[in-house]
Amino acid sequence: SLLIRAHGSARKTIEKADSLGLEVIDATCPMVKEIHKVVRDMDEKGYRIAVIGDYNHDEVQGIVGQIQHKAIVLENIADIEKKIPPNLKKLAVVVQSTQNLEKVLKMQDILKKRVPDLEFHNTICSPTRLKQDEIKTLPKKNDCIVVIGSKTSANTKRLYEIAKSINRNSYWVKSSADIKKDWFKGVESVGITAGASTPDKTIQEVKKHIQKITA
């Protein structure tokens, strides 16, 4: 059997599994599947495809692997100048589902001025948008912020980056074992948030540990 994770996979991976007679268990997130569909549809309509996201992330590799033509991966604003041909007429853009919304909107504005026929699909998922909205206010209301999640989690990374840009007393932990007592010296309030894939058990353990060492 072949299990496709939530991040999705390139079409050739699934096709190869089928050719080998393997059972394919597709656990791709429905929102990621929608991105795949957009990419295939726009490619068929003759648009060059660009993905705003982290080049080496599994989700991004799965997206670019939906089509035969080479897609452009834009990790930041500087990549637009470096990677988008100056004479490009038609471009369809999708976004890795866990990207930073503010950065994406800035890139959209630049691309609008650069490409005459731009089809921009803001495919950041709803839970990510809600979390990012929350993290913009949490660091302002609390003296210290703790972001919980795997160091390989893209959406946890975004939450931490936003929190840190607003409140320098922001920390990224995988579990309660990463917490240091001196983070909370002189702190009256602590805000806690977590990446989408962080287990509730881990969140509760971190919360209890913070309550214990700050009591």
Side-chain angles (χ1 to χ4, degrees):
S1 297
L2 174 67
L3 173 64
I4 305 297
R5 298 190 305 154
H7 292 140
S9 181
R11 291 179 81 177
K12 64 181 180 182
T13 301
I14 298 172
E15 288 168 0
K16 185 173 182 179
D18 285 337
S19 70
L20 293 172
L22 296 175
E23 177 191 8
V24 177
I25 303 166
D26 191 355
T28 305
C29 170
M31 295 176 188
V32 174
K33 280 188 175 182
E34 185 59 32
I35 300 174
H36 291 180
K37 183 178 183 302
V38 170
V39 166
R40 292 194 297 267
D41 289 348
M42 298 312 295
D43 180 62
E44 287 177 8
K45 291 177 181 177
Y47 283 81
R48 185 76 188 272
I49 303 297
V51 183
I52 295 177
D54 303 324
Y55 184 86
N56 291 319
H57 194 278
D58 289 343
E59 181 185 330
V60 172
Q61 289 303 308
I63 293 168
V64 301
Q66 296 303 304
I67 56 174
Q68 294 293 327
H69 300 112
K70 186 175 175 61
I72 303 166
V73 178
L74 304 171
E75 293 194 287
N76 49 51
I77 289 172
D79 276 351
I80 295 174
E81 185 66 34
K82 289 189 288 185
K83 296 183 179 181
I84 301 296
N87 59 346
L88 187 63
K89 298 291 189 286
K90 297 174 68 174
L91 181 69
V93 182
V94 295
V95 184
Q96 181 185 347
S97 63
T98 53
Q99 282 289 296
N100 183 323
L101 180 59
E102 282 189 16
K103 181 185 84 171
V104 168
L105 293 177
K106 287 177 184 176
M107 293 175 76
Q108 180 182 12
D109 286 341
I110 295 169
L111 287 165
K112 279 180 180 177
K113 297 171 185 174
R114 192 176 177 94
V115 183
D117 186 354
L118 179 71
E119 282 279 342
F120 197 97
H121 300 262
N122 191 341
T123 48
I124 296 176
C125 70
S126 298
T128 295
R129 293 190 195 207
L130 290 171
K131 281 281 187 181
Q132 289 186 9
D133 284 342
E134 175 190 85
I135 201 63
K136 288 173 186 174
T137 58
L138 206 62
K140 296 175 184 176
K141 295 179 179 178
N142 295 277
D143 300 323
C144 177
I145 298 296
V146 176
V147 182
I148 313 162
S150 167
K151 294 294 183 178
T152 60
S153 166
N155 72 82
T156 305
K157 180 183 177 184
R158 308 286 172 243
L159 294 176
Y160 172 70
E161 288 172 344
I162 295 169
K164 192 74 172 178
S165 70
I166 299 169
N167 185 334
R168 65 179 184 177
N169 295 321
S170 297
Y171 305 96
W172 182 359
V173 303
K174 290 185 296 182
S175 68
S176 58
D178 296 330
I179 294 170
K180 293 179 172 56
K181 191 172 182 177
D182 60 4
W183 292 348
F184 309 104
K185 286 180 181 177
V187 167
E188 293 185 3
S189 61
V190 180
I192 297 173
T193 190
S197 59
T198 306
D200 287 340
K201 181 183 177 184
T202 302
I203 297 169
Q204 292 305 315
E205 285 173 353
V206 168
K207 183 179 177 182
K208 287 177 182 176
H209 186 67
I210 292 172
Q211 288 173 332
K212 182 180 177 181
I213 64 176
T214 56

